[in-house]
Amino acid sequence: DLLMADVLRVGKVCAFGARPLGYQLVNVLLHAAAVIASLLLVNALVGDRKIAFAAAVLGAVSPARAATVNWVACQSTLLMAICCCLALYAYRRSRYGWGLLALSIALLCREDAVLLPACLLLFDLLVPATTGHRRFWKTLPYFAVVAAFLILRASMVGAPPNPGQPLAAVFNSAAVVTARFLRLLVLPAAGIVVYPSEALAGPRSTHRASKTR
């Protein structure tokens, strides 16, 4: 969690103290805001309010991300989701200044937001531009904001920690988690995704764990 999540966490402590209901209420409100932001985004993309409403309802009730609502520690994920949806919405509406502001706030919530400029490039490839030509160059300021964030982060806290696994194992873990989320989205057989460490750690780590038992 980064600056914005810490600010919200301190505010909740000051407002609610040790009363858990207030913390849960904030997460529910953030989830509702994320649903509204996704509604605006999908409506801007497809121009059909019925499809946008259906997509927003699916996102609201999907168990694939139930943990972000149930766990008060996941507020940073909700904040980032809101800002990323608004950044994409602003990009679609050609309001690039607002999009850059939303991206900046998203980066202060979670580092996952560094992927947003790549999403904008993919967006330009898949969604026809209203002006009749591609707007790839419009994404350059977004990449510049991410680069500035990474440089600032490296100067303050150093390089990201070594995952302690081969790169292939890291990508394998990402593939396993993505597959489980997609399966849960289509077939909600449980409330949340469970990550068994041995299944995600890769063969090397599993072998090491079996030797220590």
Coordinates of all heavy atoms in Angstrom, one line a residue, residues 21-111:
L21 N -17.4 -1.8 12.2 CA -18.4 -1.5 11.2 C -18.1 -0.4 10.3 O -18.3 -0.4 9.1 CB -19.7 -1.2 12.0 CG -20.9 -0.9 11.1 CD1 -21.3 -2.0 10.2 CD2 -22.1 -0.5 11.9
G22 N -17.4 0.7 10.8 CA -17.0 1.8 10.0 C -16.0 1.4 8.9 O -16.2 1.9 7.8
Y23 N -15.1 0.6 9.3 CA -14.1 0.2 8.3 C -14.8 -0.6 7.2 O -14.4 -0.4 6.0 CB -13.0 -0.7 9.0 CG -12.2 0.0 10.0 CD1 -12.7 0.1 11.3 CD2 -11.0 0.6 9.7 CE1 -11.9 0.8 12.3 CE2 -10.2 1.2 10.6 CZ -10.7 1.3 11.9 OH -10.0 2.0 12.9
Q24 N -15.7 -1.5 7.5 CA -16.4 -2.3 6.5 C -17.3 -1.4 5.6 O -17.4 -1.6 4.4 CB -17.2 -3.4 7.2 CG -17.8 -4.4 6.2 CD -16.7 -5.2 5.6 OE1 -15.9 -5.8 6.2 NE2 -16.7 -5.3 4.2
L25 N -17.9 -0.4 6.3 CA -18.7 0.5 5.5 C -17.9 1.3 4.5 O -18.4 1.5 3.3 CB -19.4 1.5 6.4 CG -20.3 2.5 5.8 CD1 -21.5 1.9 5.0 CD2 -20.9 3.5 6.8
V26 N -16.7 1.7 4.8 CA -15.9 2.4 3.9 C -15.6 1.5 2.7 O -15.6 2.0 1.5 CB -14.6 2.9 4.6 CG1 -13.6 3.5 3.5 CG2 -14.9 4.0 5.6
N27 N -15.2 0.3 2.9 CA -14.9 -0.6 1.8 C -16.1 -0.8 0.9 O -16.0 -0.9 -0.3 CB -14.5 -2.0 2.4 CG -13.0 -2.1 2.5 OD1 -12.3 -1.1 2.8 ND2 -12.4 -3.2 2.2
V28 N -17.3 -0.9 1.5 CA -18.5 -1.1 0.7 C -18.8 0.1 -0.2 O -19.1 0.0 -1.4 CB -19.8 -1.4 1.6 CG1 -21.1 -1.4 0.8 CG2 -19.6 -2.7 2.3
L29 N -18.6 1.3 0.4 CA -18.7 2.6 -0.4 C -17.7 2.7 -1.5 O -18.0 3.1 -2.6 CB -18.6 3.8 0.6 CG -19.8 3.9 1.6 CD1 -19.5 5.1 2.5 CD2 -21.1 4.1 0.9
L30 N -16.5 2.3 -1.2 CA -15.4 2.3 -2.2 C -15.8 1.3 -3.4 O -15.6 1.6 -4.5 CB -14.1 1.9 -1.6 CG -13.4 3.0 -0.8 CD1 -12.1 2.5 -0.1 CD2 -13.1 4.3 -1.6
H31 N -16.3 0.1 -3.0 CA -16.7 -0.9 -4.0 C -17.9 -0.3 -4.8 O -17.9 -0.5 -6.1 CB -17.2 -2.1 -3.3 CG -17.7 -3.2 -4.2 ND1 -16.8 -3.8 -5.2 CD2 -18.9 -3.8 -4.3 CE1 -17.5 -4.7 -5.9 NE2 -18.8 -4.7 -5.4
A32 N -18.8 0.4 -4.2 CA -19.9 1.0 -5.0 C -19.4 2.1 -5.9 O -19.8 2.2 -7.1 CB -20.9 1.6 -4.0
A33 N -18.4 2.9 -5.5 CA -17.8 3.9 -6.3 C -17.0 3.2 -7.5 O -17.1 3.7 -8.6 CB -16.8 4.7 -5.5
A34 N -16.4 2.1 -7.3 CA -15.7 1.4 -8.4 C -16.7 0.8 -9.4 O -16.5 0.9 -10.6 CB -14.9 0.2 -7.8
V35 N -17.9 0.4 -8.9 CA -18.9 -0.1 -9.8 C -19.4 1.1 -10.7 O -19.6 0.9 -11.9 CB -20.1 -0.7 -9.0 CG1 -21.3 -1.0 -9.9 CG2 -19.6 -2.0 -8.4
I36 N -19.7 2.2 -10.1 CA -20.1 3.4 -10.8 C -19.1 3.8 -11.9 O -19.4 4.1 -13.0 CB -20.5 4.5 -9.9 CG1 -21.7 4.2 -9.0 CG2 -20.8 5.8 -10.6 CD1 -22.0 5.2 -7.9
A37 N -17.8 3.8 -11.5 CA -16.7 4.2 -12.4 C -16.7 3.2 -13.6 O -16.5 3.6 -14.7 CB -15.4 4.2 -11.7
S38 N -16.9 1.9 -13.3 CA -16.9 0.9 -14.4 C -18.1 1.1 -15.3 O -18.0 0.9 -16.5 CB -16.8 -0.5 -13.8 OG -18.0 -0.8 -13.1
L39 N -19.2 1.5 -14.7 CA -20.4 1.8 -15.5 C -20.2 2.9 -16.5 O -20.5 2.8 -17.7 CB -21.6 2.1 -14.6 CG -22.9 2.6 -15.2 CD1 -23.5 1.5 -16.0 CD2 -23.9 3.1 -14.1
L40 N -19.6 4.0 -16.0 CA -19.2 5.1 -16.9 C -18.3 4.7 -18.0 O -18.4 5.1 -19.1 CB -18.6 6.3 -16.0 CG -19.5 7.0 -15.0 CD1 -18.7 7.9 -14.2 CD2 -20.7 7.7 -15.7
L41 N -17.3 3.9 -17.6 CA -16.3 3.5 -18.6 C -16.9 2.6 -19.7 O -16.7 2.9 -20.9 CB -15.2 2.7 -17.9 CG -14.1 2.1 -18.8 CD1 -13.4 3.1 -19.6 CD2 -13.1 1.3 -17.9
V42 N -17.6 1.6 -19.3 CA -18.2 0.7 -20.3 C -19.2 1.5 -21.2 O -19.3 1.3 -22.4 CB -18.9 -0.5 -19.6 CG1 -19.6 -1.4 -20.7 CG2 -17.9 -1.3 -18.8
N43 N -20.0 2.4 -20.6 CA -20.9 3.2 -21.4 C -20.2 4.1 -22.4 O -20.6 4.2 -23.5 CB -21.8 4.0 -20.5 CG -22.9 4.8 -21.2 OD1 -23.6 4.2 -22.0 ND2 -22.9 6.1 -21.0
A44 N -19.0 4.6 -22.0 CA -18.2 5.4 -22.9 C -17.6 4.6 -24.0 O -17.4 5.0 -25.1 CB -17.1 6.1 -22.1
L45 N -17.3 3.3 -23.7 CA -16.7 2.4 -24.7 C -17.7 1.9 -25.7 O -17.4 1.9 -26.9 CB -16.0 1.2 -24.0 CG -14.8 1.5 -23.2 CD1 -14.3 0.3 -22.5 CD2 -13.7 2.1 -24.0
V46 N -18.9 1.4 -25.3 CA -19.8 0.8 -26.2 C -21.0 1.7 -26.5 O -21.7 1.4 -27.5 CB -20.3 -0.6 -25.6 CG1 -19.1 -1.5 -25.3 CG2 -21.1 -0.3 -24.3
G47 N -21.2 2.7 -25.8 CA -22.3 3.6 -26.1 C -23.7 3.0 -25.9 O -24.7 3.4 -26.5
D48 N -23.8 2.0 -25.0 CA -25.1 1.3 -24.7 C -25.2 1.2 -23.2 O -24.5 0.5 -22.6 CB -25.1 -0.1 -25.4 CG -26.5 -0.7 -25.3 OD1 -27.1 -0.6 -24.3 OD2 -26.8 -1.4 -26.3
R49 N -26.2 1.9 -22.7 CA -26.4 1.9 -21.3 C -26.8 0.6 -20.7 O -26.5 0.2 -19.6 CB -27.5 3.0 -20.9 CG -27.0 4.4 -21.2 CD -28.1 5.4 -20.8 NE -27.7 6.8 -21.0 CZ -28.4 7.8 -20.8 NH1 -29.6 7.7 -20.2 NH2 -27.9 9.0 -21.0
K50 N -27.6 -0.2 -21.5 CA -28.0 -1.5 -21.0 C -26.8 -2.5 -20.8 O -26.7 -3.2 -19.8 CB -29.0 -2.2 -21.9 CG -30.4 -1.4 -22.0 CD -31.3 -2.1 -22.9 CE -32.7 -1.4 -22.9 NZ -33.6 -2.0 -23.9
I51 N -25.9 -2.5 -21.8 CA -24.7 -3.3 -21.7 C -23.8 -2.8 -20.6 O -23.3 -3.6 -19.8 CB -23.9 -3.3 -23.0 CG1 -24.8 -3.9 -24.1 CG2 -22.6 -4.0 -22.9 CD1 -24.1 -3.9 -25.5
A52 N -23.7 -1.5 -20.4 CA -22.9 -0.9 -19.4 C -23.5 -1.3 -18.0 O -22.7 -1.6 -17.1 CB -22.8 0.6 -19.5
F53 N -24.8 -1.2 -17.9 CA -25.4 -1.6 -16.6 C -25.2 -3.1 -16.3 O -24.9 -3.4 -15.1 CB -26.9 -1.2 -16.7 CG -27.6 -1.6 -15.4 CD1 -27.5 -0.7 -14.3 CD2 -28.4 -2.7 -15.3 CE1 -28.2 -1.0 -13.1 CE2 -29.1 -3.0 -14.1 CZ -29.0 -2.1 -13.0
A54 N -25.3 -3.9 -17.3 CA -25.1 -5.3 -17.1 C -23.7 -5.6 -16.7 O -23.5 -6.5 -15.8 CB -25.5 -6.1 -18.3
A55 N -22.7 -5.0 -17.3 CA -21.3 -5.2 -17.0 C -21.1 -4.7 -15.5 O -20.3 -5.4 -14.8 CB -20.4 -4.5 -17.9
A56 N -21.6 -3.6 -15.2 CA -21.4 -3.1 -13.8 C -22.0 -4.0 -12.7 O -21.4 -4.2 -11.7 CB -22.0 -1.6 -13.7
V57 N -23.2 -4.5 -13.0 CA -23.8 -5.4 -12.1 C -23.0 -6.7 -11.9 O -22.8 -7.2 -10.8 CB -25.3 -5.8 -12.5 CG1 -25.9 -6.9 -11.7 CG2 -26.2 -4.5 -12.4
L58 N -22.5 -7.2 -13.1 CA -21.6 -8.4 -13.0 C -20.4 -8.1 -12.2 O -20.0 -9.0 -11.3 CB -21.2 -8.8 -14.4 CG -20.3 -10.0 -14.5 CD1 -21.0 -11.3 -14.0 CD2 -19.9 -10.2 -16.0
G59 N -19.8 -7.0 -12.3 CA -18.6 -6.6 -11.5 C -19.0 -6.4 -10.1 O -18.2 -6.7 -9.2
A60 N -20.2 -6.0 -9.8 CA -20.6 -5.7 -8.4 C -20.8 -7.0 -7.6 O -20.5 -7.1 -6.4 CB -21.9 -4.9 -8.4
V61 N -21.3 -8.0 -8.3 CA -21.7 -9.3 -7.6 C -20.7 -10.4 -7.8 O -20.8 -11.5 -7.2 CB -23.1 -9.7 -7.9 CG1 -24.1 -8.6 -7.6 CG2 -23.2 -10.1 -9.4
S62 N -19.7 -10.2 -8.7 CA -18.8 -11.3 -8.9 C -18.0 -11.7 -7.7 O -17.5 -10.8 -7.0 CB -17.8 -10.9 -10.1 OG -16.8 -11.8 -10.2
P63 N -17.9 -13.0 -7.4 CA -17.1 -13.4 -6.2 C -15.6 -13.4 -6.5 O -14.8 -13.6 -5.6 CB -17.6 -14.8 -6.0 CG -18.0 -15.3 -7.3 CD -18.5 -14.1 -8.1
A64 N -15.2 -13.1 -7.7 CA -13.7 -13.2 -8.0 C -12.9 -12.1 -7.3 O -11.8 -12.3 -7.0 CB -13.5 -13.0 -9.5
R65 N -13.6 -11.0 -6.9 CA -12.8 -10.0 -6.1 C -13.6 -9.7 -4.8 O -13.5 -8.6 -4.3 CB -12.8 -8.7 -7.0 CG -12.0 -8.8 -8.2 CD -10.5 -9.3 -8.0 NE -9.8 -8.3 -7.2 CZ -8.5 -8.5 -6.8 NH1 -8.0 -9.7 -6.9 NH2 -7.9 -7.6 -6.1
A66 N -14.2 -10.7 -4.3 CA -14.9 -10.5 -3.0 C -13.9 -10.1 -1.9 O -14.3 -9.4 -1.0 CB -15.6 -11.8 -2.6
A67 N -12.7 -10.6 -1.9 CA -11.7 -10.3 -0.9 C -11.5 -8.8 -0.7 O -11.3 -8.3 0.4 CB -10.4 -11.0 -1.1
T68 N -11.6 -8.0 -1.9 CA -11.3 -6.6 -1.8 C -12.4 -5.9 -1.0 O -12.1 -4.8 -0.5 CB -11.2 -6.0 -3.2 OG1 -12.4 -6.3 -3.9 CG2 -10.0 -6.6 -4.0
V69 N -13.6 -6.4 -1.0 CA -14.6 -5.8 -0.2 C -14.6 -6.3 1.3 O -14.9 -5.6 2.2 CB -16.0 -6.1 -0.9 CG1 -17.1 -5.3 -0.1 CG2 -16.0 -5.6 -2.3
N70 N -14.4 -7.6 1.4 CA -14.5 -8.2 2.8 C -13.3 -7.8 3.7 O -13.5 -7.8 4.9 CB -14.5 -9.7 2.6 CG -15.8 -10.2 1.9 OD1 -16.8 -9.5 2.0 ND2 -15.7 -11.3 1.2
W71 N -12.1 -7.6 3.1 CA -10.9 -7.3 3.9 C -10.7 -5.8 3.9 O -10.5 -5.2 2.8 CB -9.7 -8.0 3.4 CG -9.8 -9.5 3.4 CD1 -10.8 -10.3 4.1 CD2 -9.0 -10.5 2.8 NE1 -10.6 -11.6 3.9 CE2 -9.5 -11.8 3.1 CE3 -7.8 -10.4 2.0 CZ2 -8.9 -12.9 2.7 CZ3 -7.2 -11.5 1.6 CH2 -7.7 -12.8 1.9
V72 N -10.7 -5.2 5.0 CA -10.4 -3.7 5.1 C -9.0 -3.4 4.6 O -8.8 -2.2 4.3 CB -10.7 -3.2 6.5 CG1 -12.1 -3.4 6.9 CG2 -9.8 -3.9 7.5
A73 N -8.1 -4.3 4.7 CA -6.7 -4.0 4.2 C -6.7 -3.9 2.7 O -5.6 -3.5 2.2 CB -5.8 -5.2 4.7
C74 N -7.7 -4.2 2.0 CA -7.7 -4.2 0.5 C -8.2 -2.9 0.0 O -8.5 -2.8 -1.2 CB -8.5 -5.3 -0.1 SG -7.7 -7.0 0.2
Q75 N -8.3 -1.8 0.8 CA -8.9 -0.6 0.3 C -8.0 0.0 -0.8 O -8.6 0.7 -1.7 CB -8.9 0.4 1.5 CG -7.5 0.7 2.1 CD -7.6 1.6 3.3 OE1 -8.7 1.9 3.8 NE2 -6.5 2.1 3.7
S76 N -6.7 -0.2 -0.8 CA -5.8 0.3 -1.9 C -6.2 -0.2 -3.2 O -6.1 0.5 -4.2 CB -4.4 0.0 -1.5 OG -4.2 -1.4 -1.4
T77 N -6.6 -1.5 -3.3 CA -7.1 -2.1 -4.6 C -8.3 -1.4 -5.1 O -8.4 -1.1 -6.3 CB -7.3 -3.6 -4.4 OG1 -6.1 -4.2 -3.9 CG2 -7.7 -4.2 -5.7
L78 N -9.3 -1.1 -4.2 CA -10.5 -0.5 -4.6 C -10.2 1.0 -5.1 O -10.7 1.4 -6.1 CB -11.5 -0.4 -3.5 CG -12.0 -1.8 -3.0 CD1 -12.8 -1.7 -1.7 CD2 -13.0 -2.3 -4.1
L79 N -9.3 1.7 -4.4 CA -9.0 3.0 -4.8 C -8.3 3.0 -6.1 O -8.6 3.9 -7.0 CB -8.0 3.6 -3.7 CG -8.7 4.1 -2.4 CD1 -7.6 4.4 -1.4 CD2 -9.6 5.3 -2.6
M80 N -7.4 2.1 -6.4 CA -6.7 2.0 -7.6 C -7.7 1.7 -8.8 O -7.6 2.2 -9.8 CB -5.6 0.9 -7.6 CG -4.8 0.8 -8.9 SD -3.8 -0.7 -9.0 CE -5.2 -1.9 -9.2
A81 N -8.6 0.8 -8.5 CA -9.6 0.4 -9.5 C -10.5 1.6 -9.9 O -10.7 1.8 -11.1 CB -10.5 -0.7 -9.0
I82 N -10.9 2.4 -8.9 CA -11.7 3.6 -9.2 C -10.9 4.6 -10.1 O -11.3 5.0 -11.2 CB -12.1 4.3 -7.9 CG1 -13.0 3.4 -7.1 CG2 -12.7 5.7 -8.2 CD1 -13.3 3.9 -5.7
C83 N -9.6 4.8 -9.7 CA -8.8 5.8 -10.5 C -8.5 5.3 -11.9 O -8.4 6.1 -12.8 CB -7.5 6.1 -9.7 SG -7.8 7.0 -8.2
C84 N -8.2 4.0 -12.0 CA -7.9 3.4 -13.3 C -9.1 3.5 -14.3 O -8.9 3.8 -15.5 CB -7.4 2.0 -13.2 SG -5.7 1.8 -12.5
C85 N -10.3 3.2 -13.8 CA -11.5 3.3 -14.6 C -11.7 4.8 -15.0 O -12.0 5.0 -16.2 CB -12.7 2.8 -13.8 SG -12.8 1.0 -13.7
L86 N -11.5 5.7 -14.1 CA -11.7 7.1 -14.4 C -10.6 7.6 -15.4 O -10.9 8.4 -16.3 CB -11.7 7.9 -13.2 CG -12.8 7.7 -12.2 CD1 -12.7 8.6 -11.0 CD2 -14.2 8.0 -12.9
A87 N -9.4 7.1 -15.3 CA -8.3 7.4 -16.2 C -8.7 6.9 -17.7 O -8.5 7.6 -18.6 CB -7.0 6.8 -15.8
L88 N -9.2 5.7 -17.8 CA -9.6 5.2 -19.1 C -10.8 5.9 -19.6 O -10.8 6.2 -20.8 CB -9.9 3.7 -18.9 CG -8.7 2.7 -18.8 CD1 -9.2 1.4 -18.3 CD2 -7.9 2.6 -20.1
Y89 N -11.7 6.3 -18.7 CA -12.9 7.0 -19.2 C -12.4 8.4 -19.7 O -12.9 8.8 -20.8 CB -13.8 7.2 -18.0 CG -15.0 8.1 -18.2 CD1 -16.1 7.7 -19.0 CD2 -15.0 9.4 -17.8 CE1 -17.2 8.5 -19.2 CE2 -16.0 10.3 -18.0 CZ -17.1 9.8 -18.7 OH -18.2 10.7 -19.0
A90 N -11.5 9.1 -19.0 CA -11.1 10.4 -19.4 C -10.3 10.3 -20.8 O -10.4 11.1 -21.6 CB -10.2 11.0 -18.4
Y91 N -9.5 9.2 -20.9 CA -8.8 9.0 -22.2 C -9.8 8.8 -23.3 O -9.6 9.3 -24.4 CB -7.9 7.8 -22.1 CG -7.0 7.5 -23.2 CD1 -5.8 8.3 -23.3 CD2 -7.3 6.6 -24.2 CE1 -4.9 8.1 -24.4 CE2 -6.4 6.4 -25.3 CZ -5.3 7.1 -25.4 OH -4.4 6.9 -26.5
R92 N -10.8 8.0 -23.1 CA -11.8 7.8 -24.1 C -12.5 9.1 -24.5 O -12.8 9.4 -25.7 CB -12.9 6.8 -23.6 CG -14.1 6.6 -24.6 CD -13.6 6.0 -25.9 NE -14.7 5.6 -26.7 CZ -14.6 5.3 -28.0 NH1 -13.5 5.2 -28.6 NH2 -15.7 4.9 -28.7
R93 N -12.7 10.0 -23.5 CA -13.4 11.3 -23.8 C -12.4 12.4 -24.2 O -12.8 13.6 -24.3 CB -14.1 11.8 -22.5 CG -15.2 10.9 -22.1 CD -16.3 10.8 -23.1 NE -17.5 10.1 -22.6 CZ -18.5 9.8 -23.4 NH1 -18.5 10.1 -24.7 NH2 -19.6 9.1 -22.9
S94 N -11.1 12.0 -24.4 CA -10.1 12.9 -24.9 C -9.8 14.0 -23.8 O -9.4 15.1 -24.2 CB -10.4 13.6 -26.2 OG -10.5 12.6 -27.2
R95 N -10.0 13.7 -22.6 CA -9.7 14.6 -21.5 C -8.4 14.1 -20.8 O -8.4 13.5 -19.7 CB -10.9 14.7 -20.5 CG -12.2 15.2 -21.1 CD -13.3 15.0 -20.1 NE -14.6 15.5 -20.8 CZ -15.8 15.4 -20.2 NH1 -15.9 14.8 -19.0 NH2 -16.8 15.8 -20.8
Y96 N -7.3 14.4 -21.5 CA -6.1 13.7 -21.1 C -5.5 14.3 -19.8 O -4.8 13.5 -19.1 CB -5.0 13.9 -22.3 CG -5.6 13.4 -23.6 CD1 -5.9 14.2 -24.7 CD2 -5.8 12.0 -23.7 CE1 -6.3 13.7 -25.8 CE2 -6.2 11.5 -24.9 CZ -6.5 12.3 -26.0 OH -7.0 11.8 -27.2
G97 N -5.8 15.5 -19.5 CA -5.3 16.1 -18.2 C -5.9 15.4 -17.1 O -5.2 15.0 -16.1
W98 N -7.2 15.2 -17.1 CA -7.9 14.4 -16.1 C -7.4 13.0 -16.0 O -7.3 12.4 -14.9 CB -9.4 14.5 -16.3 CG -10.0 15.8 -16.0 CD1 -10.5 16.7 -16.9 CD2 -10.2 16.4 -14.7 NE1 -11.0 17.8 -16.3 CE2 -10.8 17.7 -14.9 CE3 -9.9 16.1 -13.4 CZ2 -11.1 18.6 -13.9 CZ3 -10.2 16.9 -12.4 CH2 -10.8 18.2 -12.6
G99 N -7.1 12.4 -17.2 CA -6.6 11.0 -17.2 C -5.3 10.9 -16.5 O -5.0 10.0 -15.8
L100 N -4.4 11.9 -16.8 CA -3.1 11.9 -16.1 C -3.2 12.1 -14.6 O -2.5 11.4 -13.8 CB -2.2 13.0 -16.7 CG -1.7 12.7 -18.2 CD1 -1.1 14.0 -18.7 CD2 -0.8 11.6 -18.2
L101 N -4.2 12.9 -14.2 CA -4.4 13.1 -12.7 C -4.9 11.8 -12.1 O -4.4 11.4 -11.0 CB -5.4 14.2 -12.5 CG -5.8 14.5 -11.1 CD1 -4.6 14.9 -10.2 CD2 -6.9 15.5 -11.0
A102 N -5.8 11.1 -12.8 CA -6.3 9.8 -12.2 C -5.2 8.8 -12.2 O -5.1 8.0 -11.2 CB -7.5 9.4 -13.1
L103 N -4.4 8.7 -13.2 CA -3.3 7.8 -13.2 C -2.3 8.1 -12.0 O -1.8 7.2 -11.4 CB -2.5 7.8 -14.5 CG -1.2 7.1 -14.6 CD1 -1.4 5.6 -14.3 CD2 -0.5 7.3 -15.9
S104 N -2.0 9.4 -11.8 CA -1.1 9.7 -10.7 C -1.7 9.3 -9.4 O -0.9 8.8 -8.5 CB -0.9 11.2 -10.7 OG -0.3 11.7 -12.0
I105 N -3.0 9.5 -9.2 CA -3.6 9.1 -7.9 C -3.5 7.5 -7.8 O -3.3 7.0 -6.7 CB -5.0 9.6 -7.8 CG1 -5.0 11.1 -7.8 CG2 -5.7 9.1 -6.5 CD1 -6.3 11.8 -7.8
A106 N -3.8 6.8 -8.9 CA -3.8 5.4 -8.9 C -2.4 4.9 -8.5 O -2.3 3.9 -7.8 CB -4.2 4.8 -10.3
L107 N -1.4 5.5 -9.0 CA 0.0 5.1 -8.7 C 0.3 5.3 -7.2 O 1.1 4.6 -6.6 CB 1.0 5.9 -9.5 CG 1.1 5.5 -11.0 CD1 1.9 6.5 -11.8 CD2 1.6 4.1 -11.2
L108 N -0.3 6.3 -6.6 CA -0.2 6.5 -5.1 C -1.0 5.6 -4.3 O -0.9 5.6 -3.1 CB -0.5 7.9 -4.8 CG 0.4 9.0 -5.4 CD1 -0.1 10.4 -5.0 CD2 1.8 8.8 -4.9
C109 N -1.8 4.7 -5.0 CA -2.6 3.7 -4.3 C -2.0 2.4 -4.3 O -1.7 1.7 -3.3 CB -4.0 3.6 -4.9 SG -5.0 5.1 -4.7
R110 N -1.6 1.9 -5.5 CA -1.0 0.6 -5.7 C 0.0 0.7 -6.9 O -0.4 1.4 -7.9 CB -2.0 -0.5 -5.9 CG -2.6 -1.0 -4.6 CD -3.5 -2.2 -4.9 NE -2.7 -3.3 -5.3 CZ -2.2 -4.3 -4.4 NH1 -2.4 -4.1 -3.1 NH2 -1.5 -5.3 -4.9
E111 N 1.1 0.0 -6.8 CA 2.0 0.0 -7.9 C 1.5 -0.7 -9.2 O 2.1 -0.6 -10.3 CB 3.4 -0.6 -7.5 CG 4.0 0.2 -6.4 CD 5.2 -0.5 -5.8 OE1 5.3 -1.7 -5.9 OE2 6.1 0.2 -5.2

